[in-house]
Amino acid sequence: MRRITKGIAPMVALALVVAACGDDDDDDATTDTDAPTTTAAAEEEEEDTATTEAMEEEEGTATTEAMEEEEEEDEAPVEADGEPIKVAILADFTGAFAPLVTEIAAGQEVYWDNVNERGGIDGRPIELLIEDMAYDVAKMQEKYEIIREEADIISLSVGSPHTAAIASNLVEDDLLAVPLTWYSGWAFGELGQNVYESYTNYCIESMNGLEWLNVNRDVQTVAIAGFPGEYGGDGSAGAVLAAEALGLEVVYDGSGLVTPPTADNPDPDQSGVISEIVSSGADAVWTTINPATLGKIMGGAAAQGYTGLWSGNSPSYSFKMLGNPQLAPLLDQYYIQSTYIVTFGTDVPGMAQLVEEMTAGRPDLPVSDVYVLSYTEGKIAEAILQAASDAGDLSRAGILEAAKTVSVDFEGLAPNQTWEGDPNDFVVRESYIYDVDLASYIPTNLDDPTGKTGSVLLDGPYVSEIAANFDFTEPCYTG
């Protein structure tokens, strides 16, 4: 725009000069004695015009070149060669959620690689510190000690009881963590003071899920099956609250009664829970467990003739279960998937970049829904770090201060997020409801564009009336 404006000014001035000369010529053209003078003026004018045009051309060319150079400088990425910002990932590579978390961690590696390619955080590259906490509380504490002095932020902290076990350390160390856990307690007190949760929580997700089943599948009776602790307790508590609000009958309350797998007991007996579900005759079962346990309980109940619907908090289900020929038909017919995020390939603005970057970075990885978790949680940490950098303070204290003012736009991959105000104001109340569709399951690697994860969006972002009206002033589960 500047070059065009400079070109117009002399052209307008020249036009005015020419117009004035033309008027004079018209007045003096009545006498022959004025003719030579007029001709000389014309020649002079032509010379001036040529000079002016040459000057304009030279000026315009120089300005254009300067603008192009300026634009190239603006577009050139900042070289990420400053002091590294150390981002920790406390992941489960060998525990109960290892198949999912391994891919989530890989997705975060790709995400941060791309941040570095764009110049890092104002020229400071991201250096990852990755540890395996094996979905074990004691090991989580052990791994935290390893990264405790070095990390500037934790962009992935797996597990509710595990993150709770380091919560006081986070406060003591002025260290912020983005959890891979959706416990409603992260919004309150010292437990959640330095834990910046993503998406909605287990409790509200359960409300959304059960109201959707009640309204859209006429579910009137429900069985609840959950792990003990913050994860299972929170999701089960939300299911109980939803049943009360909707007038549903809880015909079996297995809150906290499902035994989670551990390294010492990877395949615990679930026969008691299975028998209770079958004998309850519930219209639907709401679970807060993990995929391996869901497969065992659902398969066991089906073998005893149970034909009710199944759903549950997002970590209960994995699309990888569709690779099991015995489970796949059951999931296709009876399972309704609840999620906090859209699934892989859903048509939203942010999906194209995610797919492009994941495919370029790790084409050998399988198509998976969990890369959406990788990217959205990465976006949270990046937005917080960028805000701290903008404020000129990338210390741990500065990062925590910046986080209070951040709003994150996930470009449709998940509901947008902020942490300003009271929990009742900023809590995310939306979730997504998908149908598990075996015909839409095409397991391939990322370099094959035909890959699909077997889900069809039914509703979302969805907010139930219960969730919309829920007064969120304390955790749903406190142990």
Side-chain angles (χ1 to χ4, degrees), residues 161-199:
H162 316 81
T163 302
I166 64 170
S168 61
N169 299 127
L170 294 172
V171 175
E172 181 182 340
D173 298 333
D174 274 345
L175 187 56
L176 184 150
V178 180
L180 190 69
T181 151
W182 300 277
Y183 172 46
S184 65
W186 302 136
F188 301 97
E190 185 178 82
L191 183 68
Q193 182 174 325
N194 287 18
V195 180
Y196 277 67
E197 73 276 18
S198 51
Y199 336 123

Side-chain angles (χ1 to χ4, degrees), residues 80-328:
D81 58 1
E83 182 184 352
I85 298 171
K86 297 185 178 182
V87 175
I89 292 175
L90 298 175
D92 173 17
F93 296 134
T94 53
F97 288 95
L100 296 177
V101 178
T102 299
E103 290 176 357
I104 293 170
Q108 280 231 346
E109 288 183 89
V110 173
Y111 182 86
W112 291 113
D113 282 347
N114 279 280
V115 170
N116 283 338
E117 286 180 13
R118 293 191 293 269
I121 304 296
D122 294 331
R124 294 184 60 178
I126 300 300
E127 179 183 325
L128 294 181
L129 310 173
I130 303 176
E131 297 291 339
D132 177 18
M133 44 70 76
Y135 207 71
D136 179 84
V137 170
K139 191 159 285 189
M140 178 69 147
Q141 293 169 315
E142 172 190 325
K143 297 300 184 179
Y144 178 79
E145 290 299 321
I146 294 174
I147 61 95
R148 187 171 192 167
E149 297 300 322
E150 287 192 78
D152 295 302
I153 191 172
I154 301 173
S155 70
L156 191 72
S157 178
V158 173
S160 298
H162 316 81
T163 302
I166 64 170
S168 61
N169 299 127
L170 294 172
V171 175
E172 181 182 340
D173 298 333
D174 274 345
L175 187 56
L176 184 150
V178 180
L180 190 69
T181 151
W182 300 277
Y183 172 46
S184 65
W186 302 136
F188 301 97
E190 185 178 82
L191 183 68
Q193 182 174 325
N194 287 18
V195 180
Y196 277 67
E197 73 276 18
S198 51
Y199 336 123
T200 196
N201 56 57
Y202 301 126
C203 183
I204 290 178
E205 181 195 12
S206 297
M207 295 177 188
N208 286 343
L210 277 178
E211 183 167 317
W212 193 93
L213 288 170
N214 173 245
V215 172
N216 295 279
R217 295 295 186 270
D218 195 30
V219 166
Q220 301 296 327
T221 59
V222 62
I224 298 170
F227 284 157
E230 286 86 352
Y231 166 46
D234 208 51
S236 297
V240 170
L241 288 170
E244 292 173 354
L246 293 165
L248 307 183
E249 182 183 359
V250 178
V251 289
Y252 168 62
D253 188 354
S255 303
L257 298 183
V258 180
T259 304
T262 62
D264 295 332
N265 186 16
D267 187 25
D269 177 31
Q270 309 291 0
S271 57
V273 173
I274 293 170
S275 295
E276 291 286 354
I277 289 171
V278 173
S279 62
S280 75
D283 294 335
V285 182
W286 184 265
T287 64
T288 313
I289 50 181
N290 75 326
T293 306
L294 173 65
K296 183 169 185 175
I297 294 176
M298 189 175 183
Q304 295 183 34
Y306 180 72
T307 58
L309 293 173
W310 295 75
S311 188
N313 292 103
S314 186
S316 296
Y317 170 79
S318 167
F319 71 92
K320 293 178 184 294
M321 298 169 72
L322 294 174
N324 183 313
Q326 285 75 45
L327 284 174

Side-chain angles (χ1 to χ4, degrees), residues 333-418:
Q333 186 170 359
Y334 297 115
Y335 201 86
I336 300 295
Q337 181 186 6
S338 171
T339 72
Y340 316 110
I341 55 172
V342 299
T343 59
F344 187 88
T346 301
D347 185 15
V348 295
M351 187 61 68
Q353 180 183 348
L354 183 157
V355 173
E356 179 183 350
E357 291 183 355
M358 285 301 306
T359 302
R362 296 291 297 274
D364 56 315
L365 286 178
V367 168
S368 178
D369 294 332
V370 300
Y371 306 134
V372 182
L373 292 171
S374 306
Y375 265 60
T376 47
E377 298 220 323
K379 280 178 179 288
I380 291 173
E382 182 188 7
I384 292 171
L385 290 173
Q386 187 60 60
S389 181
D390 292 344
D393 187 359
L394 271 165
S395 67
R396 288 182 176 182
I399 289 168
L400 281 166
E401 191 62 30
K404 299 174 185 177
T405 64
V406 165
S407 294
V408 186
D409 182 355
F410 292 123
E411 299 182 278
L413 296 171
N416 294 342
Q417 189 100 30
T418 187

Side-chain angles (χ1 to χ4, degrees), residues 21 25 35-49:
C21 288
D25 289 347
T37 305
T38 304
T39 302
E43 288 174 354
E44 231 175 83
E45 181 184 318
E46 285 179 16
E47 185 178 339
D48 289 345
T49 301

